Amino acid sequence: TAPGKTALDGYYRNSPYTAGLLEYINSPNLKIEDLFKLVRMKVSQETNGMQVPWEATSLMGNFYFKYDSEASTDKIPMVNKVETQDKSSTSLNSTASPGNIENYLERKSNLARNIRSIAIMPFTDYTGDENNKYLASGMHDALIGELGRLGQVRVISKNSTLAYADLRKTISQIADELKVDGIVETSLVGTDDKIRIQLKLYSVRPEEELLWSQVFSSDLSDIFGLYDRVIKDIASEIQLTLSSEQEYDLTHSNKINPDAYEAYIIGKHYFYKFTPQDLEASLQYFEKAISMDENFALAHLGVSDAWFGLLQLGILPQGENDPIGKHRDALTRALILDNSIADIHYSLAN
């Protein structure tokens, strides 16, 4: 659709744009630029001008989705004529008046407004890089924490959502079991020059329905800015009213050392396994992160939590004689660096 606009989903199986493509894409000997023109006119007509498709191209030469040297020219659709789609079509057809479209958008708005409990699902990694499992795990944990900080929605814990990572269950089934109004599907789609993630928000009452989908990208150094943009968009979609402090926090994120963050999320990966060996490994990665960025509050919190975990398990690494002191020193340092992090106060309560 046009820049700054939102493409319509339509009332039926396919969106207006997809329906337009399906109508013309099998036409033999139809040049791609003519196909786009036909689809543009079709979608504009079917949506009463509310959606006007755009495209950008650098093609040199002719391209056809279907070429047939024996097809007669009278089978090629005319660009200056758009046929009216049959009423039985699965697209948003010509009976969709502006009033109907407005009612449809209002219904989606009402569904979003009623979401006050959300489960953010574990990331599906489409990059094919085994090393990205640490990044995916870290982003999942961070988004849950950031959304929970808003305090206006009930957010399901990471441990509860991880139980569904490999289960073949429908969104409605997961929502029923977790007792939530909405589900956020997450995908890691790229890590070449930038991190690229896709999020989809589904309403599950009265039935499963996609309300919002967005792709976000960021350098690893601005990963916290990425989280803030995601949370701000979700909050806007479900119509939360943010305080001035929350608005400020979601637009003033500090950049970090990418290598420090990578060491930190690997440390978190080992920490969640919570065995003596994994806790010691997490401690090493958290300390590595601090060596790269001594003002990284979450890394200091990681050191504190790793020591606390070892104390809980009754483990004292060889050569260490003051684990309680190291736990408290790291926690105090984290608190001084950033007292807005909820997990720091949680650790203090522990």
Side-chain angles (χ1 to χ4, degrees):
T1 189
K5 301 293 184 179
T6 300
L8 300 174
D9 291 335
Y11 290 116
Y12 305 99
R13 178 178 178 181
N14 297 312
S15 70
Y17 188 83
T18 302
L21 283 177
L22 289 174
E23 179 161 345
Y24 296 113
I25 201 167
N26 280 321
S27 301
N29 304 336
L30 181 63
K31 294 180 182 179
I32 191 170
E33 56 266 31
D34 289 335
L35 168 70
F36 282 144
K37 291 175 185 175
L38 286 165
V39 172
R40 177 160 49 249
M41 289 188 290
K42 184 70 175 178
V43 173
S44 179
Q45 178 189 39
E46 299 294 344
T47 64
N48 291 286
M50 290 186 67
Q51 179 177 341
V52 181
W54 281 46
E55 68 271 349
T57 177
S58 58
L59 286 173
M60 298 180 183
N62 294 327
F63 175 84
Y64 310 86
F65 279 104
K66 184 176 182 179
Y67 183 78
D68 185 353
S69 60
E70 298 180 359
S72 62
T73 57
D74 60 3
K75 292 184 179 180
I76 303 176
M78 298 297 292
V79 174
N80 61 358
K81 179 182 178 182
V82 180
E83 300 174 357
T84 303
Q85 199 169 28
D86 184 75
K87 289 283 195 297
S88 63
S89 167
T90 59
S91 78
L92 176 63
N93 58 44
S94 58
T95 63
S97 66
N100 287 337
I101 294 172
E102 289 171 5
N103 291 337
Y104 167 72
L105 296 176
E106 178 62 24
R107 184 179 66 82
K108 288 188 73 173
S109 177
N110 288 334
L111 290 173
R113 188 184 301 119
N114 290 328
I115 294 178
R116 286 302 175 266
S117 53
I118 290 180
I120 299 178
M121 305 311 296
F123 274 80
T124 301
D125 181 9
Y126 290 111
T127 66
D129 187 344
E130 181 67 17
N131 292 328
N132 284 332
K133 66 181 181 181
Y134 304 118
L135 178 61
S137 176
M139 290 192 297
H140 181 220
D141 184 47
L143 289 177
I144 289 173
E146 291 298 311
L147 184 58
R149 286 178 63 183
L150 297 182
Q152 300 181 52
V153 288
R154 181 171 64 89
V155 185
I156 301 302
S157 72
K158 177 176 181 176
N159 285 342
S160 294
T161 55
L162 281 176
Y164 296 92
D166 298 316
L167 292 179
R168 298 300 180 185
K169 290 193 174 184
T170 67
I171 284 177
S172 295
Q173 288 174 324
I174 295 172
D176 286 341
E177 292 178 14
L178 293 176
K179 296 180 174 58
V180 293
D181 307 316
I183 295 284
V184 176
E185 277 190 338
T186 58
S187 303
L188 178 60
V189 295
T191 56
D192 298 332
D193 53 339
K194 289 180 178 291
I195 298 167
R196 293 187 298 282
I197 62 175
Q198 182 180 48
L199 276 76
K200 297 178 181 179
L201 172 66
Y202 291 87
S203 169
V204 296
R205 308 280 188 268
E207 60 185 1
E208 174 187 323
E209 182 166 350
L210 177 64
L211 300 182
W212 168 83
S213 178
Q214 184 69 42
V215 174
F216 299 85
S217 64
S218 170
D219 295 324
L220 189 57
S221 63
D222 192 33
I223 189 69
F224 292 119
L226 172 66
Y227 297 152
D228 289 347
R229 293 193 296 275
V230 169
I231 299 306
K232 194 170 184 179
D233 277 16
I234 292 177
S236 175
E237 185 65 28
I238 63 177
Q239 301 167 51
L240 297 183
T241 301
L242 302 180
S243 67
S244 57
E245 291 84 358
Q246 288 172 328
E247 287 279 3
Y248 181 87
D249 287 343
L250 292 175
T251 53
H252 291 77
S253 297
N254 294 325
K255 291 195 174 184
I256 61 168
N257 182 312
D259 293 330
Y261 186 75
E262 185 174 359
Y264 167 74
I265 59 174
I266 295 175
K268 291 287 283 186
H269 171 78
Y270 283 111
F271 176 79
Y272 280 118
K273 294 184 177 182
F274 217 79
T275 68
Q277 296 79 10
D278 289 313
L279 285 173
E280 290 190 35
S282 74
L283 184 59
Q284 292 174 7
Y285 278 103
F286 292 142
E287 289 176 338
K288 181 179 179 181
I290 292 171
S291 70
M292 298 173 179
D293 183 354
E294 62 179 13
N295 294 321
F296 191 1
L298 286 172
H300 287 279
L301 176 61
V303 169
S304 172
D305 286 345
W307 278 116
F308 191 69
L310 290 168
L311 285 164
Q312 284 182 305
L313 297 179
I315 304 298
L316 187 64
Q318 188 174 3
E320 299 293 348
N321 56 14
D322 188 21
I324 295 177
K326 291 193 174 184
H327 153 65
R328 289 177 175 166
D329 289 347
L331 188 55
T332 300
R333 179 62 177 157
L335 185 64
I336 292 171
L337 288 169
D338 190 346
N339 66 6
S340 71
I341 299 175
D343 285 346
I344 296 176
H345 298 280
Y346 175 75
S347 292
L348 283 168
N350 278 334

